[in-house]
Amino acid sequence: MLASSVLPTPSIDPIHSINPAVIGADLSDCCGEERSPAAVSSVCLDKPLDWRGVAQIANGARLVLSPSARSRIDHARALVEQIVERRIRAYGVNTGVGALCDVVVSPSEQRALSRNILMSHSVGVGEPLRREETRAIIAAAVNNFAHGHSGVRLELVELLVTLLDSGLIPEVPAFGSVGYLSHMAHIALVLIGEGFVRDDTGRMSAAGALQRLAREPLVLEAKEGLSVVNGTPCVTGLASLALARTERLLEWADTISAMSFENLRGQAAAFDADSLALRISPGLSLVGAHLRALLADSGIIAASFGRKTQDPLSLRTIPHVHGAARDVFATTAEVVNRELASVTDNPVVAGTLASPRVFSQAHAVGASIGLAMDSLSTAVAEVAAMAERRIDRLVNPLVSGLPAFLADGGGTCSGFMIAQYTAASLVAHNRRLAMPASLDGGITSGLQEDHLCHATPAALKALEIIANAERILAIELLAAAQAYDLQPADLSRAPKTDAIYRSVRAVISQYRDDRPLAGDIAAAWAFVHEANPGF
């Protein structure tokens, strides 16, 4: 079979292991709707979403507001109206923003303030975010409003949900945020008939999109301009996607590393359960169990028993490195879920209609999630860096015991020689990207905002590192499959690694320098990105 960059439609959802407590079957409980099991998956926003719910919405599920969420949103709006009526001083409601926080804004100017905030904060540059990234941010923003402390009108939130349902996704430039402002400003522009949206057919004006939806542009009321740009929806939305992709990547990393370990005749004692139990790490224990299952009944491993005292670190420390990354993943997931459960607006409204309260604080600053994204980036980059070391061992005849560079034939074929260069380049790029965004600092708004956490940039570069890591693993997968083709015929693969090998060979044939290898790498990336690693 010839290699192909077009794979069959995968049989599993790209975002897997979704928490059933937030989708489909529970809609009748929290949203008062009955749905058949065949209905399009939906996420009901009653209690705060978790990262899996946000990722599900990002990838196409419907977002449905529960009655209690609607009630909380309405109550918070009523509090804002009381604050305006009683002229209780509140940042961004009846004052300017940033360094203008002490400038009082009259009731007649509050609509203009809200609109002007959107205009002045829409400063993004660069290529637009991908569709699923913008959907994730919108889902996280709706989640934040549904806490009932922001004070936007229900009709504003419903219009955001309508955009998700319609597939008319705001065009949001990727760069320009030191924390959270510009991305949400570009999303909110669409609500007032400004900016642009994209759908499956291309680009259109926001005004045209609202006409298609038979909706009038909103006129923003007091506080709404600030609320729609504030908080941490940008980083929590992007972080939820990063977690979903990392979860899949780590499963593939275990699977592909097992294939390389088998090809390189590793000593299975490195994965002994009693030995690994001496180091306390949930991730290490899990990876060790995965590797033992993957390599069970391997004829290649059995034939290699006792031939070496111990393997190089890129082989025998797979449980330790992958396990450490899984532990970081678990911690990051906890941080993101805490962030989604938190109120991250500024100011926050609370209390009763008789006694409304305003808290002007720094809850919109995403220090904890920025640090978590930096940590996840480093963990993924390390997993990918070790994968590149295994690729090098597979192609190096001095250590692999296989033909040089896994090439077919003599010196006329280069095989995977230069593919290893590509992996090394991506590892180096990840190393540059993994520098912590949290330490970048900076001073903005006339010294009023004199410490910056760069949480959203941390999430954006985490997504880039994950994409590079997927490509590195794709190259390792190709090299491992090629190495199997070159093993002696009388040595059998483990049943589980054999199943992966056969799945790869169903779409990508053995490489013989007979086509550009870039096409194989693209096809292998698609396989890693979409297919089921077997767990």
Side-chain angles (χ1 to χ4, degrees), residues 406 408 416 477-486 505 510-511:
L406 305 176
D408 184 70
F416 283 75
L477 178 63
L478 287 176
Q482 186 87 350
Y484 281 138
D485 292 325
L486 302 173
R505 282 291 174 256
Q510 184 177 348
Y511 188 68

Side-chain angles (χ1 to χ4, degrees), residues 51 121 174 219 312 366 369 381 416 424 441:
W51 70 264
H121 287 54
V219 176
I369 196 169
F416 283 75

